[in-house]
Amino acid sequence: MKNLENKNILIGVTGGIAAYKVVEVASRLKKLGANVKVVMTKSATEFVSPRTFQEITKNAVYVEMFGDAANFNVAHISLADFADLVLVAPATANFLAKSAHGIADDLLTTTILAATAPKIFVPSMNTNMLENPATQDNIKILKQRGIKILEPADGELACGIVGKGRLPEPENICAEIVKFFSTEKILSGKKILVTAGGTLEPIDPVRYIGNRSSGKMGFEIAKAAENFGAEVILIAANTHLELPKNLKFVKVESAVEMREKVLSEFVSVDAVIMSAAVADYRVKNVSSQKIKKSEENLTLELVKNPDILKELGKLKTKQILVGFAAETENLFEYAEKKLAEKNLNFIVANNVSVEGAGFGVDTNIASIISRGGEVENFPLMSKAELAEKIIFKLIEILQGEKS
Ligand code: PMT
């Protein structure tokens, strides 16, 4: 089946030894029906001749910014407009650095700046260059801007050392591209409610009981859902993050307020993903004035907050419900209990006492537990990557592949 028929793919090739493998990527994409154009940096032409890509793609190959006087189109703009997807492989450390900082000093980097199409970069380089904090920071910046970065593979590198930095095999790169086009905007027409952040429970006008949630996990989920075409409502408590574009944002403070806003949207949504850390208790008698320091001890009486997700579990009709379990012990036992008690479709269990997981950080380590008992364990990954896994799981359910 020609899954990529009518798709315009622009491949950027930069100067790495793995450039030769990208000839096969171009060839496979052509066979899948894509119209492929290639832009090479000058360094890339040291590894593969432009003529090779020209023969494979049956299109002109672009290298020079100002080379072709006979061509009246501004090359970087027409190439940027052409692309439904931009793939850069191999993406060298130099290219990643330039792209992360908006430098446009050749045809490829200029085209990248001008292109609004989704982008996939495939880094490939020596392990030390890859692990250098400068490269890692650049990768982080690019990921935060929504560019998909494919993980380099492990193995023997051209420099002789064994480590991470190899270009993934061409078939794996092409599989990502096919997946991208098959899931692109797959959630259009669906409305998804995401909660994020940690509720604040007031004690008096200046004090509150809170928790360590930054909202990062929920914001990434909202962005991923929006990327797949969903209409997203993000209800967030106590977050200070840059607001994602193209979604409805509702700011709340306490659990009671979050419950009210969630319930007011619930009937119209197709799915709810509750990643917010909702306080289980609130202060019974909130003081209207600042509590003055007097006695040696101060006792606050707490009362139970409503369990929003449990309530949704009782009310749900068509809605898919996704919960999180933030645990510090007995992760699976407690998560499975919440999955059943709250009548969820699946739960994302994270042990928040493990380094790199849980509150505040950009990464997480989680497992998705489904109703049927199926468990998917994920290693340490960025919250953006985990968000995508969660959305893929949701898509499976919405498409009726899983219950
Ligand atoms: O925001 P970050 O800094 O990125 O951190 C991410 C996170 C650690 C907050 C996130 O990954 C996470 O685990 N969120 C759920 C936190 C939580 O409250 O877990 P819980 O196990 O106490 O609650 C279980 C589920 O019930 C959650 O989906 C929660 O949103 C929901 N709940 C809990 C209590 C309550 N009163 N009402 C609820 O709806």
Side-chain angles (χ1 to χ4, degrees), residues 66-99:
F66 305 106
D68 186 2
N71 187 352
F72 294 115
N73 287 331
V74 183
H76 63 282
I77 303 296
S78 62
L79 287 167
D81 288 348
F82 156 84
D84 295 319
L85 174 75
V86 180
L87 170 77
V88 179
T92 57
N94 182 48
F95 167 79
L96 295 172
K98 288 202 278 187
S99 194

Side-chain angles (χ1 to χ4, degrees), residues 273-292:
I273 305 177
M274 285 281 302
S275 82
V278 186
D280 288 323
Y281 293 89
R282 67 179 184 279
V283 176
K284 185 174 180 191
N285 297 309
V286 178
S287 171
S288 60
Q289 301 300 328
K290 183 182 171 194
I291 299 172
K292 302 307 285 178

Side-chain angles (χ1 to χ4, degrees), residues 195-198 211-219 239 241 255 258 273-281 305-312 322-327 334 338 342 344 347-350 352 357-364 383 386:
T195 66
N211 64 65
R212 297 174 196 279
S213 173
S214 61
K216 286 179 181 175
M217 191 68 246
F219 272 50
T239 58
L241 304 168
M258 181 173 276
I273 305 177
M274 285 281 302
S275 82
V278 186
D280 288 323
Y281 293 89
N305 262 332
D307 188 321
I308 306 169
L309 202 45
K310 198 168 176 180
E311 203 171 335
L312 300 184
V322 181
F324 268 72
E327 310 294 349
Y334 292 156
K338 286 175 184 170
K342 300 184 190 220
L344 309 177
I347 194 158
V348 184
N350 45 185
V352 292
F359 295 97
V361 287
D362 291 332
T363 52
N364 209 347
K383 283 182 174 164
L386 179 61

Side-chain angles (χ1 to χ4, degrees), residues 42-272:
K42 284 211 178 87
S43 318
T45 64
E46 298 286 332
F47 295 93
V48 181
S49 155
R51 187 168 293 277
T52 309
F53 280 113
Q54 192 175 308
E55 292 301 325
I56 296 285
T57 63
K58 308 285 181 242
N59 275 320
V61 171
Y62 302 80
V63 182
E64 299 291 341
M65 185 82 193
F66 305 106
D68 186 2
N71 187 352
F72 294 115
N73 287 331
V74 183
H76 63 282
I77 303 296
S78 62
L79 287 167
D81 288 348
F82 156 84
D84 295 319
L85 174 75
V86 180
L87 170 77
V88 179
T92 57
N94 182 48
F95 167 79
L96 295 172
K98 288 202 278 187
S99 194
H101 297 282
I103 294 171
D105 62 355
D106 61 13
L107 182 58
L108 178 60
T109 47
T110 313
T111 305
I112 295 289
L113 266 193
T116 54
K119 300 175 189 75
I120 300 179
F121 293 173
V122 197
S124 171
M125 66 198 74
N126 159 275
T127 308
N128 293 340
M129 290 173 80
L130 179 66
E131 285 173 358
N132 189 297
T135 307
Q136 288 301 315
D137 283 352
N138 290 330
I139 288 177
K140 196 166 148 191
I141 292 171
L142 293 165
K143 280 184 177 174
Q144 277 166 356
R145 291 197 194 129
I147 293 173
K148 188 165 179 70
I149 306 281
L150 295 195
E151 277 291 297
D154 282 297
E156 191 175 347
L157 300 169
C159 53
I161 68 164
V162 175
K164 198 169 185 177
R166 277 172 67 85
L167 194 83
E169 292 310 313
E171 61 264 36
N172 295 338
I173 297 176
C174 293
E176 282 294 334
I177 293 171
V178 170
K179 186 167 102 184
F180 165 79
F181 280 113
S182 63
T183 53
E184 189 198 27
K185 306 296 173 214
I186 199 165
L187 289 178
S188 73
K190 299 287 178 200
K191 202 166 168 185
I192 296 179
L193 193 164
V194 180
T195 66
T199 62
L200 299 186
E201 307 302 327
I203 298 171
D204 67 15
V206 296
R207 304 181 181 94
Y208 59 80
I209 299 172
N211 64 65
R212 297 174 196 279
S213 173
S214 61
K216 286 179 181 175
M217 191 68 246
F219 272 50
E220 291 302 340
I221 294 170
K223 279 193 253 176
E226 202 277 321
N227 283 344
F228 284 106
E231 180 185 342
V232 178
I233 305 159
L234 175 60
I235 300 181
N238 187 33
T239 58
H240 307 280
L241 304 168
E242 195 183 322
L243 285 189
K245 283 182 265 158
N246 303 331
L247 50 73
K248 178 172 171 187
F249 182 74
V250 182
K251 192 172 177 288
V252 296
E253 203 173 273
S254 65
V256 168
E257 208 187 330
M258 181 173 276
R259 170 184 173 274
E260 188 192 310
K261 300 290 181 198
V262 167
L263 286 180
S264 73
E265 301 284 357
F266 188 59
V267 280
S268 71
V269 302
D270 297 283
V272 179

